[in-house]
């Protein structure tokens, strides 16, 4: 059986008991030192989570928590890097299966932030993804904004639309940017209509009869309401995250560029077209007058086009800035987290400054102690060497003394280091 199959078997036996959770976490930690082992272990954990029973979801989360904290504290960041891309979706999967464990899941995520397992920005992103599951609600019901739950009553049957992002009622035309008319506008678009009246003036088409233009209905291009629908369908708000905020900010910047481009087109209109007292047109005849008429008509078309563009920019800008208001509290929380980090760093810096006062003294004392210990080792080695030499000298003297005290008929055996009698062949027994 392969290592992956062994790990899968261990994870499938996980329950709420502490021995089972610790056994599963040890099984995953065995993959830490293998090449790609952390990624493979996380993949097996995710597969077991997706196929597990409802009662195993929370224990498997506790296994991941044990692995993350143990590896961060004792080994390294390999499991953090392997879990980071999939952890948010896995936690949403757990909360979507069982709404009763949402607060327990959030408590585990907050522990990761308190113990610095993950950065606070990552923790805030994960918690933001779990907000739609709080209060026992699941899915769309918890994520639908309050404004969508109580749709405004339409003034006429034709005014009710589904998913329309731009409305054409009188309120939006009076105040394109939201808020009261007395407050500051979000985007200031000023067009000198009086100065352009000479270039824009043309006969008003009749409302009825020949030549009359068909009036565009407010619901002509609106999608047909679905059968059984009781109100407008609200688009689900995006999760509050750093990437979504950057995308929102970039969208606002793009709208500003489009607005500046439209202003540039309008400012490029020759001033002679805007001067009501200009007498140059009185001197034009024939083809020159025709060319001037064509230029004026083209200018009118450009002005109308840019007017539509700026109206669209204003409406989109208003919607984006309403969306940006949702990030205010989120950004305040991030700023508070940053303040806490800065405060922690300041306290740590003060402690380091306090330690640095006695650092030199401690360093000199350590060097002196090391020098003394080194001298003691040298002295001990010299003493041991002298003892060995003295022992060898005594042994040589003893050997010389014993050799001098040899008995008659004995001879010194250098190999055995003793006196021995010479062998007498005449004493052999027959």
């Amino acid at each position: 059986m392969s290592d992956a199959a062994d790990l899968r078997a261990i994870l499938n036996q996980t329950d709420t008991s502490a021995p089972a959770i610790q056994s599963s976490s040890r099984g995953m930690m065995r993959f830490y030192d293998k090449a790609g082992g952390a990624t493979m272990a996380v993949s097996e954990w995710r597969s077991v989570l997706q196929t597990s029973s409802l009662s195993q979801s929370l224990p498997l989360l506790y296994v991941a928590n044990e692995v993350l904290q143990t590896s961060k504290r004792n080994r390294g960041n390999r499991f953090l890097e392997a879990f980071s891309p999939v952890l948010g979706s896995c936690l949403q999967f757990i909360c979507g299966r069982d709404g009763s464990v949402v607060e327990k899941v959030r408590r585990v995520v907050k522990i990761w932030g308190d113990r610095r397992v993950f950065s606070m920005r990552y923790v805030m992103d994960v918690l933001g993804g779990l907000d739609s599951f709080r209060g026992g609600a699941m899915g769309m019901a918890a994520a639908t904004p309050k404004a969508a739950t109580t749709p405004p009553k339409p003034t006429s049957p034709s005014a009710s639309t589904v998913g329309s992002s731009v409305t054409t009622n009188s309120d939006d035309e009076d105040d394109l940017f939201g808020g009261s008319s007395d407050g500051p506008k979000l985007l200031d678009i000023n067009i000198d209509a009086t100065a352009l009246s000479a270039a824009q003036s043309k006969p008003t088409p009749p409302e009825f009869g020949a030549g009359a233009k068909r009036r565009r209905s407010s619901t002509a291009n609106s999608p047909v309401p679905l059968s059984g629908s009781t109100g407008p369908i609200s688009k689900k708000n995006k999760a509050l995250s750093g990437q979504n905020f950057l995308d929102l900010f970039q969208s606002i910047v793009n709208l500003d560029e489009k607005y500046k481009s439209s202003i540039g087109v309008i400012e490029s209109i020759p001033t002679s077209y805007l001067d009501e007292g200009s007498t140059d047109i009185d001197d034009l005849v024939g083809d020159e007058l025709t060319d001037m008429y064509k230029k004026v008509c083209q200018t009118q078309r450009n002005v109308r086009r840019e007017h539509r563009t700026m109206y669209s920019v204003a409406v989109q800008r208003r919607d984006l800035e309403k969306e940006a208001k949702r990030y205010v509290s989120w950004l305040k929380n991030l700023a508070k987290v940053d303040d806490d980090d800065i405060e922690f760093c300041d306290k740590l810096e003060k402690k380091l400054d306090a330690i640095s006062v006695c650092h030199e003294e401690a360093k000199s004392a350590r060097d002196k102690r090391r020098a003394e210990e080194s001298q003691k080792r040298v002295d001990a080695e010299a003493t041991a060497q002298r003892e060995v030499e003295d022992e060898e000298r005594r042994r040589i003297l003893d050997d010389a003394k014993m050799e001098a005290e040899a008995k008659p008929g004995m001879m010194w055996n250098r190999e055995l280091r003793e006196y021995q009698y010479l062998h007498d062949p005449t004493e052999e027994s027959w």
Side-chain angles (χ1 to χ4, degrees):
M1 184 180 294
S2 63
D3 294 339
D6 292 339
L7 177 60
R8 194 181 307 115
I10 294 174
L11 293 175
N12 281 323
Q13 297 176 0
T14 305
D15 53 27
T16 56
S17 63
I21 294 174
Q22 294 175 357
S23 175
S24 299
S25 63
R26 285 194 298 268
M28 293 186 67
M29 288 296 297
R30 282 196 290 266
F31 287 80
Y32 186 88
D33 294 325
K34 298 181 180 178
T39 304
M40 183 176 66
V42 172
S43 177
E44 292 297 330
W45 175 86
R46 187 182 183 188
S47 300
V48 172
L49 176 64
Q50 292 175 348
T51 58
S52 64
S53 61
L54 195 63
S55 60
Q56 281 186 310
S57 299
L58 202 58
L60 288 173
L61 174 59
Y62 293 155
V63 170
N65 175 51
E66 181 73 16
V67 170
L68 287 169
Q69 294 197 45
T70 302
S71 63
K72 176 67 180 268
R73 182 172 58 251
N74 300 330
R75 305 297 292 276
N77 296 332
R78 293 183 182 177
F79 272 108
L80 274 72
E81 296 173 355
F83 267 108
S84 296
V86 302
L87 201 54
S89 59
C90 291
L91 297 184
Q92 293 178 9
F93 173 77
I94 294 174
C95 295
R97 296 179 70 187
D98 187 3
S100 61
V101 301
V102 174
E103 294 303 324
K104 295 181 180 179
V105 174
R106 288 175 57 84
R107 190 178 304 114
V108 173
V109 177
K110 291 178 180 178
I111 289 175
W112 294 339
D114 295 339
R115 299 184 180 179
R116 310 282 179 174
V117 178
F118 289 105
S119 66
M120 289 304 299
R121 294 183 185 275
Y122 181 83
V123 170
M124 293 296 291
D125 288 344
V126 174
L127 290 176
L130 300 179
D131 285 341
S132 59
F133 299 96
R134 299 192 70 181
M138 298 171 58
M140 191 71 181
T144 303
K146 183 177 180 181
T149 58
T150 58
K153 183 177 180 181
T155 56
S156 64
S158 62
S160 176
T161 59
V162 179
S164 176
S165 61
V166 179
T167 58
T168 59
N169 55 24
S170 60
D171 294 336
D172 284 343
E173 291 177 354
D174 293 338
D175 185 7
L176 302 180
F177 314 103
S180 62
S181 59
D182 297 332
K185 302 299 183 181
L186 302 181
L187 187 62
D188 189 10
I189 302 177
N190 295 322
I191 300 177
D192 191 354
T194 304
L196 294 176
S197 60
Q200 293 179 346
S201 60
K202 61 180 181 178
T204 304
E207 296 184 357
F208 304 99
K213 290 186 177 181
R214 183 177 179 182
R215 179 171 297 178
R216 183 176 296 176
S217 173
S218 60
T219 59
N221 297 324
S222 300
V224 179
L226 301 176
S227 59
S229 62
T230 59
I233 300 176
S234 176
K235 184 179 179 180
K236 183 179 179 180
N237 290 331
K238 292 183 179 180
L240 299 179
S241 64
Q243 185 60 43
N244 289 340
F245 179 73
L246 293 178
D247 294 341
L248 176 64
F249 184 77
Q250 185 61 41
S251 299
I252 295 176
V253 172
N254 295 337
L255 289 177
D256 287 342
E257 293 297 331
K258 188 182 295 186
Y259 169 73
K260 292 178 182 179
S261 176
S262 298
I263 291 297
V265 172
I266 293 177
E267 290 178 348
S268 65
I269 299 175
T271 56
S272 60
Y273 293 0
L274 307 177
D275 188 4
E276 295 182 357
S278 177
T279 58
D280 294 341
I281 192 172
D282 296 335
D283 299 333
L284 300 178
V285 294
D287 293 339
E288 294 179 353
L289 184 59
T290 303
D291 293 340
M292 175 60 70
Y293 174 74
K294 291 179 179 180
K295 292 179 181 179
V296 171
C297 291
Q298 181 62 36
T299 302
Q300 289 178 343
R301 287 192 292 269
N302 292 340
V303 170
R304 286 194 296 268
R305 184 183 67 248
E306 298 307 325
H307 178 268
R308 291 192 296 269
T309 300
M310 288 190 290
Y311 181 85
S312 175
V313 167
V315 173
Q316 296 180 47
R317 177 70 178 262
R318 178 191 61 183
D319 294 338
L320 290 177
E321 292 186 350
K322 285 182 178 179
E323 176 70 14
K325 291 180 181 179
R326 298 176 53 242
Y327 285 87
V328 173
S329 59
W330 182 73
L331 291 173
K332 288 182 179 179
N333 291 333
L334 290 183
K336 183 178 180 181
V337 172
D338 292 340
D339 292 340
D340 294 341
D341 293 341
I342 293 175
E343 183 180 357
F344 174 77
C345 293
D346 292 339
K347 291 181 179 179
L348 182 60
E349 186 176 3
K350 291 179 180 179
K351 292 181 179 179
L352 292 176
D353 293 339
I355 294 175
S356 64
V357 175
C358 57
H359 178 263
E360 293 297 333
E361 182 178 354
K363 182 179 178 181
S364 60
R366 180 200 63 186
D367 295 339
K368 182 178 180 180
R369 185 180 66 256
R370 288 182 177 178
E372 293 176 354
E373 292 176 354
S374 177
Q375 185 63 36
K376 288 180 180 180
R377 285 195 297 269
V378 172
D379 295 342
E381 291 176 358
T383 302
Q385 183 67 24
R386 286 196 298 270
E387 291 178 355
V388 171
E389 292 176 356
D390 293 343
E391 182 66 24
E392 182 67 17
R393 190 179 300 107
R394 284 195 299 271
R395 185 179 62 79
I396 293 173
L397 292 175
D398 292 343
D399 292 345
K401 184 177 180 181
M402 292 178 65
E403 185 176 359
E405 296 177 357
K407 296 179 181 180
M410 298 182 68
M411 188 174 182
W412 179 256
N413 190 336
R414 293 182 179 277
E415 295 180 357
L416 298 178
R417 306 185 67 79
E418 64 180 6
Y419 287 101
Q420 291 182 346
Y421 288 97
L422 295 177
H423 179 66
D424 188 1
T426 59
E427 294 181 0
E428 292 182 358
S429 174
W430 294 94

